[in-house]
């Protein structure tokens, strides 16, 4: 294709010259007055056309060879830069999305873990508290029982001592009042009186 | 000044003059050619110097260069298709050459080389011969079927084929005369109204007020000519693209 374009250029020059010659001949008699543009036999006109072809050829050469490829490369570079930037932005957005998702998942997991830890701790604390309470109850019950036992023993001991004191006092009083004492009668009276008191105390 | 004497010399501005006296005289280099060279210099400066920074975010000059590139590129590929990319430098050169020829011609003391039928016709012939050679190079003998429209009734062919051939041959004429006539008409009008300004303005106090009317008209005309300068360059380029489309695709 490149070759055919070049041959087209050659043909262009070859084909143009007769056409111009024809144009110049056709209006060859239009010298002098009128429009200066129509004086085709003027040598300045021919010079103008030849120089036009040379200058336009120069413009085409400069444009095709230097200027336009440069513009094309700048536009291409910009297009690539924009595409690259868009891709980078897309990538960054993807990364940000992934990071956000990971963060959300981590938060959810942490929350679940914290919840379960709280629940476990609460249950443990409850169980411990219950165990401690039971142990305390048991100890207190034991202490209460022991104390009750000691109280009962002390009371029994006191009761025993009371009978002896009462018997001896009664014995002394009776012997002082009436002299001579029936020991058995005194003990029976004291027992009777004590049991009556005990019955009254039990009621009270 | 043109207002000397009674006649208004509106055509003297199109006279070819030697550029730089004897130097131009020796090689037949007229002021018209000097303006062509100036146009080439400005276009090359815009496209090469303007793009030299290769900025990602273009400045004004680079934006102008890129805009003209994109404009013509879209025009060519839009008309011719992807095959048109090979002709893009040609159409671009043509468009810019005509555009800057028209624009430079609007400057005071400048010459408008697109107001010469020889120039526009030469450019049109370049386009004509190029499109013909491209058409024959791509399609060979089949190219001549271009003059026989598809689906035309057989009995009418003796009539249609000559019409098609004449319309094909008249392409360079219409292409060149359109640009030439537009530029000549614009510049003749500018010159005539400018001469009115000088003539009326010379007629005392009242004349100075009277001269403002043609002056205002000339201001409007300049704006109009700017539009025409661009429009005619655009028309030249788009018709070239259409012809290239015909050469590449045959209808």
């Amino acid at each position: 294709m490149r070759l055919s374009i070049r041959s087209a250029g050659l043909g262009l020059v070859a084909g143009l010259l007769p056409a111009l010659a024809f144009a110049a001949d056709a209006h060859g008699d239009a010298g002098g007055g009128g429009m200066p543009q129509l004086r085709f036999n003027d040598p300045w006109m021919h010079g103008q056309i030849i120089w036009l072809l040379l200058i336009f050829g120069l413009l085409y050469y400069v444009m095709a060879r230097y200027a336009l490829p440069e513009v094309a490369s700048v536009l291409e570079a910009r297009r690539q830069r924009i595409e690259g930037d868009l891709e980078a932005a897309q990538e960054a957005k993807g990364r940000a999305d992934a990071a956000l998702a990971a963060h959300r998942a981590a938060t959810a997991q942490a929350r679940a873990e914290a919840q379960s830890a709280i629940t476990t701790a609460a249950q443990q604390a409850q169980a411990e508290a219950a165990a401690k309470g039971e142990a305390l109850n048991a100890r207190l019950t034991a202490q209460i029982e022991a104390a009750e036992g000691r109280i009962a023993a002390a009371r029994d001991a006191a009761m025993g001592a009371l009978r002896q004191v009462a018997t001896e006092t009664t014995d002394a009083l009776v012997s002082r009042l009436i002299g001579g004492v029936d020991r058995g009668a005194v003990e029976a009276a004291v027992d009777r009186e004590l049991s009556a008191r005990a019955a009254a105390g039990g009621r009270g | 000044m043109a207002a000397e004497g009674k006649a208004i010399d509106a055509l003297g501005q199109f006279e070819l003059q030697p550029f730089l006296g004897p130097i131009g005289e020796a090689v037949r280099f007229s002021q018209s050619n000097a303006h062509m060279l100036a146009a080439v210099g400005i276009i090359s400066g815009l496209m090469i110097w303007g793009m030299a920074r290769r900025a990602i975010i273009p400045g004004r000059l680079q934006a102008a260069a890129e805009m003209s590139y994109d404009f013509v590129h879209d025009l060519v590929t839009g008309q011719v298709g992807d095959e048109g990319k090979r002709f893009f430098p040609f159409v671009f050169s043509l468009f810019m050459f005509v555009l800057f020829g028209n624009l430079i011609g609007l400057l005071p003391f400048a010459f408008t080389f697109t107001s010469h039928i020889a120039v526009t016709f030469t450019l049109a012939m370049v386009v004509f011969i190029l499109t013909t050679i491209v058409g024959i190079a791509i399609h060979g003998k089949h190219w001549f079927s271009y003059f026989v429209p598809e689906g035309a009734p057989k009995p009418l062919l003796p009539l249609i084929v000559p019409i098609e051939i004449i319309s094909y041959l008249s392409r360079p004429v219409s292409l060149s005369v359109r640009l030439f006539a537009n530029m000549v008409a614009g510049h003749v009008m500018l010159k005539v109204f400018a001469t009115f300004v000088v003539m009326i303005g010379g007629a005392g106090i009242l004349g100075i007020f009277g001269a403002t009317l043609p002056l205002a008209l000339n201001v409007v005309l300049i704006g109009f000519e700017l539009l025409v300068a661009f429009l005619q360059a655009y028309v030249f380029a788009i018709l070239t693209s259409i012809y290239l489309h015909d050469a590449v695709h045959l209808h």
Side-chain angles (χ1 to χ4, degrees), chain B residues 1 189-199 214 218:
Chain B
M1 205 52 225
M189 273 178 35
L190 282 175
K191 184 74 174 208
V192 166
F193 286 115
T195 312
F196 280 164
V197 174
V198 176
M199 284 166 82
N218 245 5

Side-chain angles (χ1 to χ4, degrees), chain B:
Chain B
M1 205 52 225
E4 286 167 29
K6 288 284 175 204
I8 299 172
D9 178 18
L11 296 175
Q13 59 174 323
F14 302 120
E15 208 82 58
L16 290 175
Q17 310 283 350
F19 183 65
L20 291 180
I23 306 171
E25 192 95 49
V27 289
R28 297 266 183 238
F29 192 84
S30 57
Q31 93 277 37
S32 167
N33 299 127
H35 282 81
M36 293 174 194
L37 214 51
V40 170
I42 291 171
I43 297 165
S44 304
L46 172 68
M47 299 310 291
I48 293 172
W49 187 60
M51 295 300 295
R53 282 180 56 225
R54 299 180 57 95
I56 291 291
I57 300 160
R60 284 182 201 181
L61 210 58
Q62 192 180 332
E66 286 177 10
M67 208 189 292
S68 49
Y69 179 98
D70 278 339
F71 180 73
V72 181
H73 195 265
D74 291 353
L75 190 153
V76 174
T77 51
Q79 289 294 334
V80 190
D82 270 352
E83 302 94 324
K85 279 180 185 153
R86 282 183 299 142
F87 307 110
F88 166 64
F90 174 70
V91 180
F92 183 82
S93 307
L94 206 57
F95 172 77
M96 295 300 264
F97 192 65
V98 172
L99 176 65
F100 277 83
N102 295 348
L103 289 177
I104 288 172
L106 285 175
L107 297 175
F109 305 110
F111 183 85
T112 319
F113 58 78
T114 44
S115 69
H116 263 244
I117 181 73
V119 172
T120 60
F121 189 73
T122 305
L123 291 176
M125 279 309 288
V126 169
V127 171
F128 178 75
I129 294 169
L130 176 78
T131 50
T132 306
I133 289 173
V134 164
I136 292 175
I138 291 178
H139 299 287
K141 276 183 192 159
H142 185 64
W143 178 77
F144 291 96
S145 73
Y146 179 76
F147 301 110
V148 187
E150 271 175 58
K154 274 253 160 67
L156 282 179
L157 280 185
L159 194 65
I160 289 172
V161 170
I163 289 175
E164 285 286 330
I165 291 173
I166 289 170
S167 90
Y168 187 80
L169 291 179
S170 64
R171 276 176 175 184
V173 177
S174 68
L175 192 58
S176 59
V177 169
R178 183 182 301 110
L179 175 59
F180 156 73
N182 266 285
M183 298 324 290
V184 168
H187 282 265
V188 164
M189 273 178 35
L190 282 175
K191 184 74 174 208
V192 166
F193 286 115
T195 312
F196 280 164
V197 174
V198 176
M199 284 166 82
I200 301 173
I205 299 289
L206 212 64
I208 289 175
F209 287 106
T212 53
L213 189 68
L215 184 67
L217 215 61
N218 245 5
V219 171
V220 175
L221 267 181
I222 282 286
F224 185 67
E225 281 303 302
L226 282 172
L227 174 73
V228 169
F230 175 79
L231 204 65
Q232 287 306 317
Y234 176 70
V235 166
F236 209 96
I238 202 157
L239 283 175
T240 301
S241 300
I242 290 170
Y243 298 161
L244 281 169
H245 169 266
D246 286 350
V248 173
H249 300 289
L250 292 187
H251 294 294

Side-chain angles (χ1 to χ4, degrees), chain A residues 2-194:
Chain A
R2 194 103 196 103
L3 197 88
S4 73
I5 293 294
R6 194 160 295 168
S7 64
L10 269 175
L12 206 69
V13 175
L16 208 57
L17 292 177
L20 290 172
F22 169 76
D25 281 350
H27 301 270
D29 54 354
M35 294 180 83
Q37 293 100 311
L38 299 181
R39 281 179 222 143
F40 291 112
N41 57 351
D42 183 354
W44 282 101
M45 195 64 89
H46 307 155
Q48 186 192 29
I49 291 166
I50 302 297
W51 280 112
L52 163 68
L53 289 173
L54 289 176
I55 292 168
F56 185 72
L58 170 74
L59 176 66
Y60 176 79
Y61 179 74
V62 171
M63 289 297 117
R65 183 85 176 74
Y66 300 104
L68 297 180
E70 179 74 6
V71 181
S73 84
V74 169
L75 293 180
E76 179 64 21
R78 176 177 308 144
R79 201 181 58 74
Q80 277 177 357
R81 167 83 177 270
I82 289 171
E83 260 175 24
D85 283 2
L86 279 179
E87 260 170 35
Q90 202 72 37
E91 211 172 287
K93 189 183 175 299
R95 277 206 306 275
D97 284 351
L100 185 66
H103 172 70
R104 281 217 180 110
T107 311
Q109 197 188 344
R111 189 168 290 154
E113 268 172 21
Q115 202 65 47
S116 75
I118 288 169
T119 313
T120 316
Q123 279 172 351
Q124 206 174 339
Q126 229 165 356
E128 255 172 41
K132 267 186 192 165
E134 256 168 46
L136 191 64
N137 252 9
R139 213 175 67 218
L140 288 178
T141 312
Q143 276 177 359
I144 288 167
E145 272 170 12
E148 273 177 355
R150 277 202 309 276
I151 289 168
R155 202 183 59 196
D156 286 356
M159 277 301 192
L162 188 69
R163 184 172 176 273
Q164 195 185 349
V165 169
T167 308
E168 277 174 7
T169 308
T170 311
D171 197 28
L173 277 172
V174 169
S175 64
R176 267 285 196 74
L177 289 171
I178 54 175
V181 178
D182 185 0
R183 190 76 182 191
V186 170
E187 281 181 1
V190 168
D191 280 345
R192 197 170 58 239
E193 199 60 26
L194 276 176

